[in-house]
Amino acid sequence: MSDSYESTRLAMVEQQIRERGVHDERVLEVMRRLPRHEFIPEAQREQAYADSPLPIGEDQTISQPYIVAVMTAALHLTGKERVLEIGTGSGYQTAILAQLAAQVYSLERHAPLAESAAAVLERLEIENVELHVGDGSQGLPDMAPFDAILVTAAAPSIPGTLRSQMSPDGGRLIIPVGDAKNQYLERVIRRGGKWDLQRIGAVRFVPLIGAYGFKAADV
Ligand code: SAH
């Protein structure tokens, strides 16, 4: 998509993402095309391509572009997957997933964020996304199993509900796990009754608030 931010966006992908070691061409190409500024509130728009998270309202943030790229690449999407995202927020990560997988289900607990994400996705004509308002720590059992699950808020531990909703045939889950301030990004791969866990790196996410996350009063 050609727009007034295009050269800034290409520089973002080159300098913040590719040069830092994310080389998955499918992920890079989607991030070169997708207008990140459309997902950012007016007041912050000039910062849309900065190397940092940004406020999106309701005390929440859109993730730093590099982190979005790392998490997306770690899912190894081929285009055929059914994906569950928890923490729609601005909808930016949702839009990226939608262009790399077959169908995306995304859950957000703040209805106003889900509504504005839905409006941007519609404007960009991204149609393979189903948005739900609710507690994503419980997953979406009616739609399970998922080939990939991406959690974009920090959990105190990996919710068993999400483990059980992973496809037993190589399903993967990416989730930040730790306390409310500091976490490690973890990747889990399920094969049958076995869940293999790997740590990707240190991260900082807003907390996952819900039945299998943090309690609102504790953060
Ligand atoms: N992927 C988003 C990141 C948003 S920040 C983006 O790029 O814009 C994390 C989001 O998780 C916030 O919008 C927050 O409201 C949401 N969240 C926190 N706990 C949740 C829960 N239990 N269920 C669904 N969404 C949750």
Side-chain angles (χ1 to χ4, degrees):
M1 192 176 289
S2 180
D3 55 66
S4 60
Y5 290 95
E6 190 177 24
S7 60
T8 316
R9 184 163 61 246
L10 296 179
M12 169 193 88
V13 171
E14 191 56 25
Q15 293 158 17
Q16 299 176 30
I17 300 174
R18 206 184 64 77
E19 284 179 11
R20 288 189 196 149
V22 179
H23 293 134
D24 182 325
E25 241 338 287
R26 293 185 73 234
V27 174
L28 299 180
E29 196 44 41
V30 168
M31 292 185 75
R32 283 185 193 112
R33 275 191 282 113
L34 189 67
R36 179 171 162 95
H37 60 275
E38 298 271 354
F39 296 85
I40 311 270
E42 284 291 335
Q44 322 288 334
R45 199 156 281 177
E46 289 306 314
Q47 294 300 309
Y49 296 93
D51 192 11
S52 64
L54 294 169
I56 54 171
E58 307 290 332
D59 246 356
Q60 305 301 322
T61 54
I62 179 173
S63 305
Q64 179 191 10
Y66 172 69
I67 294 292
V68 172
V70 167
M71 292 177 98
T72 310
L75 288 173
H76 295 305
L77 298 172
T78 65
K80 298 193 185 122
E81 293 83 359
R82 299 174 70 253
V83 181
L84 173 65
E85 179 193 34
I86 295 161
T88 316
S90 67
Y92 176 66
Q93 172 79 74
T94 320
I96 292 177
L97 294 172
Q99 290 174 69
L100 293 167
Q103 179 69 35
V104 179
Y105 301 87
S106 186
L107 274 153
E108 170 57 52
R109 68 186 279 269
H110 287 295
L113 293 179
E115 280 157 24
S116 72
V120 184
L121 293 170
E122 191 178 337
R123 204 158 64 233
L124 298 177
E125 297 178 359
I126 295 175
E127 287 166 357
N128 54 337
V129 172
E130 204 176 287
L131 296 182
H132 294 254
V133 175
D135 175 12
S137 76
Q138 316 204 33
L140 211 51
D142 292 350
M143 301 294 170
F146 299 98
D147 304 299
I149 302 180
L150 181 59
V151 185
T152 66
S157 60
I158 299 177
T161 45
L162 300 185
R163 278 181 197 262
S164 67
Q165 291 174 34
M166 297 168 71
S167 160
D169 188 18
R172 45 262 189 221
L173 163 69
I174 307 287
I175 181 169
V177 178
D179 60 31
K181 295 237 150 56
N182 295 286
Q183 309 98 29
Y184 281 102
L185 198 56
E186 299 190 342
R187 172 166 59 189
V188 183
I189 298 183
R190 177 176 182 189
R191 288 197 183 79
K194 232 178 126 247
W195 285 261
D196 285 331
L197 191 139
Q198 202 188 340
R199 269 194 177 173
I200 299 180
V203 287
R204 269 187 178 196
F205 276 83
V206 296
L208 180 76
I209 310 274
Y212 301 98
F214 292 97
K215 305 285 164 269
D218 296 342
V219 294

